């Protein structure tokens, strides 16, 4: 099984940011392969420019709303949140299903797309907005709904105009090799020939 990050939320805004990426200025992309369960409304929060202290958090992030089947570009400033742009998704959100999410900042343009794992990446951005007064901070994940459980199988960040790395297509649903019984016997014989067992010499 692949290594995964399980993020359980408590009361208030809880976040986890990457120190290795550092402070973010300029063009930035963040990609996530995520699923959620025990969802009350908001499935996940993935974003950048995250900073602040408890009760006074800042950041720009994408979330998905189970009750309205929408993806949103959100801003959190001084602990208060507002929706910058919203788009209805062309598929139905479900718990315990893996989704791919890409949030991008290019100059003052912020754009997002989201699609089910295993489906083709949409050619167009689903929601686009302008944001011109929030910079710095770090990339990461967050949430503010107690009891929510998120699993991240992959998170990638691209800075300085670079694209964020994305998860391999078969990361969470690996394709079983199409092996016959004869193939397995041949592999066993090959392995047996390659391994030399030590012998006890008197």
């Amino acid at each position: 099984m692949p290594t995964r990050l399980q993020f359980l939320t408590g009361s208030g805004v809880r976040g986890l940011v990457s120190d290795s990426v550092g402070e973010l200025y300029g063009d930035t992309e963040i990609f996530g392969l995520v699923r959620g369960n025990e969802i009350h409304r908001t499935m996940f929060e993935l974003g950048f420019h995250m900073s602040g202290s408890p009760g006074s958090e800042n950041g720009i992030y994408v979330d998905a709303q189970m009750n309205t089947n929408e993806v949103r570009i959100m801003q959190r400033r001084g602990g208060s949140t507002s929706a910058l742009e919203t788009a209805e998704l062309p598929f139905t959100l479900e718990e315990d299903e893996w989704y791919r999410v890409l949030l991008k900042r290019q100059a003052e343009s912020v754009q997002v797309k989201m699609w089910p794992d295993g489906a083709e990446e949409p050619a167009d951005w689903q929601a686009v907005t302008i944001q011109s007064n929030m910079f710095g901070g770090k990339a990461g994940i967050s949430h503010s709904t107690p009891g929510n459980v998120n699993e991240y199988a992959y998170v990638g960040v691209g800075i300085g105009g670079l694209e964020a790395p994305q998860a391999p297509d078969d990361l969470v649903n690996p394709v079983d090799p199409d092996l016959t019984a004869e193939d397995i016997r041949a592999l066993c014989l090959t392995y047996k020939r390659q391994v030399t067992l030590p012998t006890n010499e008197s």
Side-chain angles (χ1 to χ4, degrees), residues 15-18 21-32 44-52 57-63 72-77 84 101-113 125 127 129-142 152 155-164:
L16 180 66
V17 298
S18 171
V21 175
E23 295 283 321
L24 299 173
Y25 296 92
D27 295 352
T28 304
E29 273 193 11
I30 184 167
F31 168 87
F44 62 87
E45 296 178 3
L46 174 75
F48 37 61
H49 302 315
M50 293 183 174
S51 66
E57 302 87 359
N58 307 301
I60 296 173
Y61 62 93
V62 54
D63 72 16
R72 307 188 302 178
I73 301 174
M74 301 292 293
Q75 177 175 276
R76 183 175 280 126
R77 184 182 293 277
L84 300 179
V101 189
L102 185 63
L103 179 66
K104 179 176 182 176
R105 176 165 203 155
Q106 187 171 23
E108 295 182 354
S109 175
V110 181
Q111 43 214 0
V112 68
K113 61 175 76 173
W125 299 98
T129 190
I130 299 297
Q131 210 293 330
S132 59
N133 57 10
M134 183 173 286
F135 301 95
K138 297 181 178 180
I141 61 177
S142 60
Y152 287 87
V155 176
V157 180
I159 59 175
L162 297 177
E163 293 183 351

Side-chain angles (χ1 to χ4, degrees), residues 65-177:
Q65 296 294 296
M66 292 283 291
N67 59 327
T68 57
N69 209 66
E70 294 174 329
V71 63
R72 307 188 302 178
I73 301 174
M74 301 292 293
Q75 177 175 276
R76 183 175 280 126
R77 184 182 293 277
S80 298
T81 59
S82 58
L84 300 179
E85 190 58 74
T86 301
E88 185 175 353
L89 290 166
F91 53 87
T92 301
L93 291 170
E94 297 182 22
E95 289 193 358
D96 295 317
E97 293 294 327
W98 290 100
Y99 296 100
R100 291 172 175 253
V101 189
L102 185 63
L103 179 66
K104 179 176 182 176
R105 176 165 203 155
Q106 187 171 23
E108 295 182 354
S109 175
V110 181
Q111 43 214 0
V112 68
K113 61 175 76 173
M114 179 177 176
W115 65 102
D117 185 45
E120 289 291 324
E121 178 179 345
D124 299 325
W125 299 98
Q126 294 158 337
V128 180
T129 190
I130 299 297
Q131 210 293 330
S132 59
N133 57 10
M134 183 173 286
F135 301 95
K138 297 181 178 180
I141 61 177
S142 60
H143 219 296
S144 58
T145 305
N148 229 65
V149 181
N150 286 146
E151 275 189 276
Y152 287 87
Y154 194 98
V155 176
V157 180
I159 59 175
L162 297 177
E163 293 183 351
Q166 297 192 16
D169 291 340
D170 60 350
L171 182 63
V172 293
N173 294 303
V175 177
D176 292 330

